[in-house]
Amino acid sequence: MGMDRDEERGCRELLGSLAAKRIKEESKRLLQELDGYVPTLGVVRLGERGEQLSYERGAMKRMEQFGLKAKQFLFPEDVSEPDFFEAFRKINRNPSIDGILLLKPLPPQIRANLADEAIDPDKDLDGISPVNISRVFAGEERGFAPCTAEAVIETLKAYHIPIEGRRAVVVGRSLVVGRTLAMLLLKENATVTICHTQTGDLPAECQKAEILAVAAGRPRLIDESCVSQGCVVLDVGINVDQNGMLCGDVDEIGVRKKAGALTPVPGGIGAVTTSVLAKHLLIAAKRLREL
Ligand code: NAD
C-alpha cells in the first residue's frame, strides 16, 4: 500500500557485537601465529576520571576475552610533566609491553602534543603519533588508525556493505574520529565529503550520502531530514541527553523510517572499538617480534 521496497524491508540494525565477533576470529588466527607468545597491553592513565575508568575497564575485559594480557601504569592527576615523560619513555622501551593505550584527555600540565610525539609509533595502538597519522593519511598499511574510526570500517565489512564507489558523508572533522574516518573511507575507494560546524546546509550534504557516518558529539543532530531512503547510517556519537540518557548523534526513531541500516547507541560502533584495540595489539606484537 504505497510503501516502496526499502520501507517494506525496514531499517537493519548493525550490531557492534557482530563486528566484534568477526575481529575476534581474525585475532585468534593472529595469536596462533605468535607461537605461544601472549602480547601485553600497557594502559597508561593519569588521574581517576569516570569516562577513562570505564573505557579502561572495557579494554581490560576485552583483552581477557581475546586471551591477551594487560598491565596498568597509573599516575596521580598532578604528576609533573618531567616525571611523567621519564616514566612514559620507560614504558615505551619496556620489551614486555607490546602496545600502549594512553587514556585521554591528559591533565593540563601534560602537553598532549608532546605525548603524541613521545609514544613509540610501533606501539601506538590508538593512532595518536604524528607518524601513524601520516601513514594513515597516506593510505599506508603500516599505520595504526584510531580504533573508533577503524571500528566504523569494521562494522561495514562485518555486514558486507560495499564501500567502493559509494558516496560517503562524514559529519565531524576531529583528528581522532571524523577526519581519519574520511581517510579510511577514501582508502576503501568511497567518494568522501566531510561536514563540520561551518557546513552551509548540513541536511542537503547528508542527503547525498549512501553511507553517512556521524561523529559530531551533538545529541540527535541527524534527523529524518538529513537521510535519504536506504542510506547506511553509522552513529559514532556517545552523548548524555537532557534526561540523563545515553544517546548518539542520530535521532534513531526518525532516521529509522528512512535509513536502510543503522548502528544503535549503545551497542553499535562503541562496542567494536576495544576489539580493534586488541587486534592492533596483536599486529604490534607480531611486528615487534619480526624486527
Ligand atoms: P569533537 O568535539 O572533537 O569533534 C566534533 C566534530 O563535529 C567537530 O569537527 C565539529 O566540526 C563537528 N560538529 C559539531 N557540531 C556540529 C554541527 N552542529 N554540525 C556539523 N558538524 C558539527 O568530538 P570527537 O572526539 O570527534 O567525538 C565525536 C563523538 O564521537 C562524541 O560524541 C564522542 O563521545 C564520540 N566518540 C566515541 C568513541 C567510541 O565509540 N569509542 C570514541 C571517540 C569519540
Side-chain angles (χ1 to χ4, degrees):
M1 275 229 317
M3 267 191 168
D4 74 16
R5 241 186 245 147
D6 281 327
E7 277 171 294
E8 277 169 32
R9 249 190 255 125
C11 177
R12 213 167 154 205
E13 192 98 331
L14 305 179
L15 298 176
S17 52
L18 185 91
K21 199 170 148 218
R22 184 173 177 265
I23 298 169
K24 192 170 178 190
E25 293 303 315
E26 194 185 343
S27 295
K28 259 191 216 156
R29 282 194 299 275
L30 287 167
L31 188 56
Q32 277 162 8
E33 285 169 23
L34 289 173
D35 288 330
Y37 178 76
V38 180
T40 302
L41 169 71
V43 181
V44 181
R45 170 162 54 81
L46 293 76
E48 305 276 334
R49 293 167 68 114
E51 78 255 35
Q52 294 187 344
L53 288 171
S54 72
Y55 188 56
E56 180 179 324
R57 262 197 303 276
M60 306 282 288
K61 207 172 111 196
R62 190 71 81 187
M63 294 310 130
E64 205 186 314
Q65 278 174 5
F66 278 54
L68 305 170
K69 291 191 275 195
K71 186 171 170 12
Q72 291 158 300
F73 297 90
L74 308 179
F75 297 87
E77 176 120 37
D78 61 356
V79 61
S80 77
E81 196 180 49
D83 286 354
F84 171 70
F85 279 113
E86 197 192 326
F88 192 56
R89 287 197 188 93
K90 278 193 194 137
I91 301 167
N92 259 317
R93 285 196 298 265
N94 185 339
S96 72
I97 299 297
D98 300 278
I100 297 170
L101 173 67
L102 173 62
L103 293 166
K104 289 196 173 177
L106 301 172
Q109 77 279 12
I110 311 292
R111 281 169 286 178
N113 64 321
L114 293 189
D116 296 347
E117 283 164 23
I119 196 166
D120 177 348
D122 291 327
K123 294 188 179 184
D124 170 31
L125 307 184
D126 205 19
I128 61 172
S129 157
V131 174
N132 279 316
I133 294 168
S134 141
R135 285 172 180 164
V136 169
F137 275 54
E140 280 174 33
E141 270 321 305
R142 199 177 170 81
F144 285 120
C147 298
T148 301
E150 196 169 318
V152 173
I153 304 290
E154 289 284 358
T155 302
L156 289 167
K157 290 191 171 168
Y159 281 90
H160 306 289
I161 294 168
I163 306 173
E164 186 162 305
R166 298 190 112 186
R167 286 187 304 275
V169 174
V170 178
V171 181
R173 59 175 162 183
S174 76
L175 203 48
V176 66
V177 196
R179 203 176 283 238
T180 300
L181 175 56
M183 290 303 131
L184 297 179
L185 287 162
L186 185 62
K187 184 161 181 259
E188 299 293 330
N189 296 318
T191 301
V192 185
T193 302
I194 305 175
C195 297
H196 46 80
T197 44
Q198 305 308 307
T199 295
D201 187 345
L202 185 67
E205 293 299 336
C206 293
Q207 275 167 21
K208 293 177 197 155
E210 293 166 288
I211 296 171
L212 177 62
V214 193
R218 298 279 177 275
R220 305 189 181 99
L221 170 70
I222 300 301
D223 62 15
E224 225 179 310
S225 74
C226 298
V227 177
S228 57
Q229 203 71 46
C231 179
V232 175
V233 184
L234 302 128
D235 188 355
V236 183
I238 300 176
N239 313 295
V240 178
D241 70 9
Q242 303 118 309
N243 306 319
M245 297 292 288
L246 197 66
C247 73
D249 291 350
V250 173
D251 169 29
E252 287 190 20
I253 295 168
V255 165
R256 230 181 266 282
K257 291 184 211 152
K258 282 166 107 185
L262 173 66
T263 60
V265 177
I269 302 302
V272 187
T273 303
T274 53
S275 298
V276 175
L277 183 73
K279 182 175 121 179
H280 283 182
L281 177 63
L282 284 154
I283 294 169
K286 193 158 179 262
R287 280 190 199 147
L288 289 167
R289 288 163 65 81
E290 279 165 1
L291 289 177

